[in-house]
Amino acid sequence: MRNANEQSAKFYRQILGRRFPVSHQRAMQREIHEHLLLNSSNVRSVNFDVISAADLGMLFQLTDELFFDGTIGRFVESNFNKPLTFRLSTRMTTAGGTTTMATRPGVSRRETEFEIAIATTPLFSSFKFEQHANVGGVRCDSRLEALQRIMEHEVIHLVELLGTADSNCQAKPFRALVRNYFGHKESNHQLMTPSDFARKQLGIRCGDAVTFSIRGERYRGVVNRITKRATVLVKDPRGIEYSDGHRYSKFYVPLPQLRRA
Ligand SMILES: [Zn+2]
């Protein structure tokens, strides 16, 4: 047991000791991006519509090889009986991903199982109407970029679980790791689209009545769509007729200027 703990501590220390220049981080992230597009049978474009657990395995392996010299995979292989598993979760709606360590009382440490699950709902509901989203405080311009950032976050969870049998993305060591390895500016496993942002920060969603001011004039309308800006329809007799029989003018309003009516 003591030996196992020492091995975990050594593994963790090794990982803690490494740093990458930002340019190096970006180059490796880019390489993983290109490799996946070239080799995955599902991920053929940056805003892919289908993904499998095998693709997650490939993404993990690439991340492990380029950033950790494959030490994570080797550590799991030599210390545990079961291989690391990958799963697509259709249930999770708030987190982009989760990493779990499953142990049962009275069973040897070697029987511990590790799993990385990626949530499909936030991933596939973003980049439909929106051109960007945010994961870990990093702007992502495609579904593949968002997936990579989510995987990076989960990889650090796995590193902590393997090294210390515990993991907390709100704590300082995690924040330092995710920044040093992947350049994340915030530590959360959420995928935030502009409409998530509008809902969480401003309490505004599509269909809501809002007010806003342009050049000193105040308008009242309904949010029709949220991208970088909100599309707000304001009743206007000179506007275009919509399917509800009313005429509207369309305004593109920066999100922070909206107020709930
Ligand atoms: Zn987390």
Side-chain angles (χ1 to χ4, degrees):
M1 189 66 198
R2 178 146 177 246
N3 190 29
N5 282 342
E6 275 169 11
Q7 277 186 25
S8 293
K10 191 180 155 213
F11 162 80
Y12 189 53
R13 259 202 318 276
Q14 237 174 13
I15 285 178
L16 282 181
R18 296 189 81 182
R19 298 277 184 286
F20 297 103
V22 174
S23 59
H24 195 163
Q25 290 175 343
R26 299 245 169 88
M28 291 192 290
Q29 287 168 330
R30 196 73 223 158
E31 201 176 324
I32 293 168
H33 192 95
E34 300 300 336
H35 187 102
L36 210 72
L37 283 172
L38 218 66
N39 293 286
S40 159
S41 43
N42 297 308
V43 182
R44 308 303 293 269
S45 71
V46 294
N47 287 319
F48 55 90
D49 297 310
V50 184
I51 190 168
S52 72
D55 296 315
L56 299 182
M58 190 190 287
L59 175 55
F60 167 80
Q61 215 175 337
L62 288 164
T63 308
D64 185 20
E65 271 166 27
L66 269 80
F67 283 91
F68 304 90
D69 295 327
T71 52
I72 305 173
R74 279 200 301 278
F75 185 79
V76 173
E77 216 173 290
S78 57
N79 286 272
F80 302 97
N81 292 339
K82 298 254 173 65
L84 176 65
T85 56
F86 301 93
R87 189 169 58 89
L88 290 161
S89 164
T90 50
R91 290 225 191 119
M92 280 189 278
T93 51
T94 53
T98 55
T99 302
T100 51
M101 175 174 84
T103 46
R104 273 159 292 149
V107 174
S108 85
R109 174 181 178 271
R110 287 198 70 86
E111 294 301 320
T112 311
E113 292 173 42
F114 297 89
E115 180 192 74
I116 292 180
I118 302 291
T120 52
T121 307
L123 196 60
F124 286 109
S125 57
S126 52
F127 301 102
K128 268 186 183 160
F129 307 110
E130 299 166 307
Q131 283 85 41
H132 68 267
N134 190 300
V135 180
V138 179
R139 181 195 156 115
C140 305
D141 290 316
S142 71
R143 193 166 283 154
L144 180 52
E145 286 185 10
L147 174 64
Q148 284 184 260
R149 302 296 88 80
I150 295 168
M151 179 60 84
E152 289 163 356
H153 182 99
E154 298 311 320
V155 165
I156 298 299
H157 273 305
L158 180 64
V159 162
E160 286 199 336
L161 289 172
L162 292 169
T164 69
D166 196 13
S167 183
N168 176 3
C169 53
Q170 297 313 312
K172 256 190 181 168
F174 189 106
R175 289 165 180 270
L177 275 172
V178 89
R179 189 181 55 240
N180 292 342
Y181 274 84
F182 303 117
H184 292 201
K185 294 178 179 71
E186 286 165 20
S187 184
N188 59 59
H189 28 216
Q190 236 114 313
L191 197 164
M192 290 271 277
T193 61
S195 43
D196 292 330
F197 175 83
R199 195 178 62 237
K200 284 189 181 129
Q201 304 287 314
L202 310 165
I204 291 168
R205 54 180 89 210
C206 286
D208 281 351
V210 289
T211 61
F212 60 95
S213 300
I214 290 179
R215 286 180 223 100
E217 200 160 337
R218 206 169 152 79
Y219 297 89
R220 186 193 162 95
V222 171
V223 177
N224 197 40
R225 192 176 148 184
I226 298 171
T227 57
K228 277 178 208 171
R229 290 163 180 241
T231 309
V232 183
L233 298 179
V234 175
K235 273 189 189 165
D236 179 355
R238 291 161 303 166
I240 295 166
E241 193 175 333
Y242 276 68
S243 52
D244 65 356
H246 293 291
R247 288 181 175 271
Y248 296 94
S249 280
K250 224 191 237 185
F251 290 83
Y252 299 99
V253 188
L255 297 175
Q257 291 182 22
L258 292 177
R259 296 288 171 271
R260 283 190 67 121

